[in-house]
Structures are given as structure tokens and as C-alpha cells.
């Protein structure tokens, strides 16, 4: 990864810089999230880190680990709760520092190449997520959610074209509609609750609007899951999604 810092440790609010490091071994989890040891590779602590480490010996202290973009700006982060710090050296030379804490929504191992890709710059074209397997698409959506911003004024009575070529699941639907409305890497909800929130406004578009769902037949054939209704019959998630959009006031065109 080179010698420049790719990660930084901040206070829990992401305001006070505590340390830079080149990598974070153990941060991207391979099993279940929870308490873990994370090694800050080639760590360069700031003086404020000593105060935080001392405080963490007597009470709970939470911090955040952020990945940095090519301009050394934090662009995605994760909270580490209940910080414990290993041997904090007084050194002018970067060193490996083990810390431990609990991460409840840390990114997965599958997310690492996606975070690395975004660290070079946000997507400039749509559908880059389509090249990934389902776990990679989920990791891409997770990163999109960490990036979500309210873009300002909502477009009303707009016309949006939904690229349906890669919509084979609800995850890929959220990725595709986010890009249809807000451009490459765009966010417009993820999961029923946040999708419902996005439809209420504040995320680029608010019904009434027109959504032209191109290649909708792919989603109609693939967006089915065996958990609803109670008899185990595969749910038609495509029809449910279309109905949800129409109920919210959107006009859905299936060309």
C-alpha cells in the first residue's frame, strides 16, 4: 500500500485526529462482527492519543477508524467501542500498534477491494458494482450508505431511467435506483425503512416522478425470495417494489 497513510484513528465523532497508519489488520472481518484485535500498521500517534489511551484504562472510550482518500481525507469510517490500547511507544518512528474494541457494523473482507477502489475517487460511471458477486454488491451498498448525503433540492416531476440489466436482487435494485436518481455511486435508500425515508424527500427526488425501468424482465424473473408469505411461496419482490413505488406516488413505466 506504500508509506502514505491510508487510515486514520479519530475520536468517536470523527473530529479529533488521534493517529495515522498505513493499514488496519483485522478491521475488515471474515466472520461475525464483535470484539476484535485491530493492528494499526506503521502507526504515527498524535499527542492526543496518549490522553485517550490513558482514559480508556479507567472508563469506556469509543473511537472511529476511517479510510482516507488519495487526498488524505476521511471518506468512510466505523466506530470501535470500548477501546483498549496495547504498548503505546514514545517513538518518532512509525510502529505497529494493536488496539481492541467492538465493531458492530464493520466492513467485511469482501469490502476491502471496494473501499480501496473508492479511496482513489468516487465512481464516475454507473454499474461498476455489477462486476461483483452478491457479497461484493452488498459491500458496495454498505459503502454507498456510509457515503450518503442529502444532495439538496429534490427533483419533482422528474423522469429517471433505471438500468435494469443487473437488477437480480433487492440489493442490486437499491444500487441501481441510487444511481438512476443521484448518479454513479448514488444513494436512494437501502432496505425497506431507508428506502421509505428516501421517498419522503431529501435524497435527490421526491414523488411524483416517473421511473422508466428498462430491462425490467430481468428483475421480474430474479427478484423472488422464499420467506413471504407464511406458506413459503416465493415472494414476488419485483411486484412488491413496483407497488411500493406506485403507492408512494411514482409513475412506473415498464417499456
Amino acid at each position: 500500500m506504500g508509506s502514505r497513510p491510508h487510515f486514520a484513528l479519530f475520536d468517536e465523532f470523527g473530529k479529533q485526529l488521534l493517529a495515522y497508519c498505513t493499514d488496519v489488520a483485522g478491521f475488515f472481518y471474515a466472520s461475525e462482527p464483535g470484539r476484535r484485535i485491530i493492528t494499526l500498521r506503521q502507526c504515527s500517534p498524535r499527542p492526543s492519543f496518549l490522553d485517550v489511551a490513558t482514559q480508556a484504562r479507567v472508563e469506556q472510550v469509543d473511537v472511529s477508524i476511517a479510510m482516507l482518500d488519495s487526498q488524505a481525507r476521511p471518506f468512510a469510517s466505523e466506530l470501535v467501542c470500548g477501546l483498549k490500547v496495547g504498548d503505546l511507544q514514545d517513538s518518532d518512528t512509525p510502529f505497529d500498534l494493536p488496539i481492541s474494541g467492538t465493531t458492530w457494523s464493520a466492513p467485511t473482507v469482501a469490502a476491502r477491494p471496494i473501499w480501496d477502489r473508492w479511496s482513489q475517487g468516487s465512481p464516475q460511471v454507473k454499474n461498476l458494482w455489477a462486476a461483483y458477486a452478491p457479497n461484493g454488491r452488498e459491500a458496495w451498498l454498505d459503502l454507498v450508505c456510509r457515503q450518503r448525503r442529502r444532495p439538496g433540492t429534490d427533483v419533482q416531476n422528474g423522469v429517471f431511467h433505471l438500468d435494469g440489466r443487473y437488477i437480480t436482487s433487492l440489493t442490486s435494485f437499491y444500487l441501481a435506483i441510487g444511481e438512476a436518481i443521484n448518479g454513479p455511486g448514488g444513494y436512494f435508500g437501502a432496505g425497506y425503512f431507508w428506502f421509505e425515508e428516501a421517498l419522503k424527500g431529501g435524497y435527490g427526488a421526491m414523488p411524483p416522478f416517473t421511473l422508466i425501468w428498462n430491462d425490467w424482465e430481468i428483475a421480474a424473473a430474479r427478484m423472488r425470495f422464499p420467506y413471504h408469505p407464511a406458506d413459503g411461496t416465493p415472494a414476488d419482490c419485483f411486484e412488491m417494489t413496483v407497488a411500493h413505488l406506485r403507492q408512494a406516488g411514482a409513475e412506473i413505466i415498464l417499456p
Side-chain angles (χ1 to χ4, degrees):
M1 294 185 63
S3 59
R4 79 167 178 85
H6 287 256
F7 292 87
L9 191 71
F10 291 90
D11 68 355
E12 63 180 305
F13 305 108
K15 302 297 184 182
Q16 183 184 27
L17 174 66
L18 303 176
Y20 284 119
C21 57
T22 59
D23 206 350
V24 281
F27 176 65
F28 295 88
Y29 74 90
S31 55
E32 292 296 320
R35 190 158 191 90
R36 68 189 65 246
I37 296 174
I38 301 169
T39 302
L40 309 180
R41 300 292 189 196
Q42 295 297 291
C43 178
S44 298
R46 293 296 186 262
S48 55
F49 195 7
L50 178 58
D51 295 334
V52 171
T54 301
Q55 181 185 1
R57 294 192 185 103
V58 296
E59 63 184 16
Q60 176 162 327
V61 173
D62 303 334
V63 295
S64 61
I65 292 176
M67 194 175 199
L68 307 177
D69 65 15
S70 58
Q71 303 300 314
R73 299 170 300 195
F75 76 92
S77 63
E78 171 64 21
L79 194 66
V80 179
C81 301
L83 173 73
K84 298 298 178 185
V85 181
D87 184 13
L88 188 56
Q89 304 174 23
D90 183 10
S91 172
D92 294 331
T93 304
F95 58 95
D96 290 354
L97 176 64
I99 65 172
S100 65
T102 301
T103 59
W104 296 115
S105 58
T108 65
V109 170
R112 180 58 194 264
I114 296 169
W115 282 49
D116 285 340
R117 185 172 193 166
W118 279 59
S119 74
Q120 301 305 309
S122 58
Q124 299 301 305
V125 296
K126 297 178 180 179
N127 294 326
L128 293 178
W129 53 266
Y132 293 92
N135 64 341
R137 293 183 179 192
E138 290 170 4
W140 189 288
L141 181 59
D142 173 74
L143 185 51
V144 167
C145 292
R146 294 173 191 266
Q147 296 283 303
R148 69 177 182 263
R149 304 180 183 88
R150 292 181 178 270
T153 304
D154 290 324
V155 174
Q156 287 190 303
N157 299 306
V159 178
F160 302 97
H161 291 263
L162 181 62
D163 186 345
R165 291 175 295 168
Y166 310 107
I167 300 178
T168 57
S169 65
L170 284 172
T171 295
S172 49
F173 165 75
Y174 295 129
L175 289 167
I177 195 169
E179 294 194 327
I181 291 176
N182 289 311
Y187 170 86
F188 196 74
Y192 180 86
F193 176 80
W194 291 111
F195 185 48
E196 184 73 12
E197 284 298 300
L199 286 168
K200 293 177 181 177
Y203 291 97
M206 183 176 179
F209 59 72
T210 299
L211 186 69
I212 301 173
W213 192 328
N214 298 299
D215 296 296
W216 59 271
E217 299 92 344
I218 295 172
R222 300 285 297 278
M223 288 177 63
R224 295 174 181 273
F225 295 93
Y227 59 77
H228 179 82
D231 63 5
T233 303
D236 192 332
C237 291
F238 170 75
E239 289 293 343
M240 292 168 61
T241 301
V242 170
H244 187 186
L245 284 162
R246 285 174 171 160
Q247 185 176 14
E251 179 184 3
I252 309 301
I253 297 177
L254 306 176

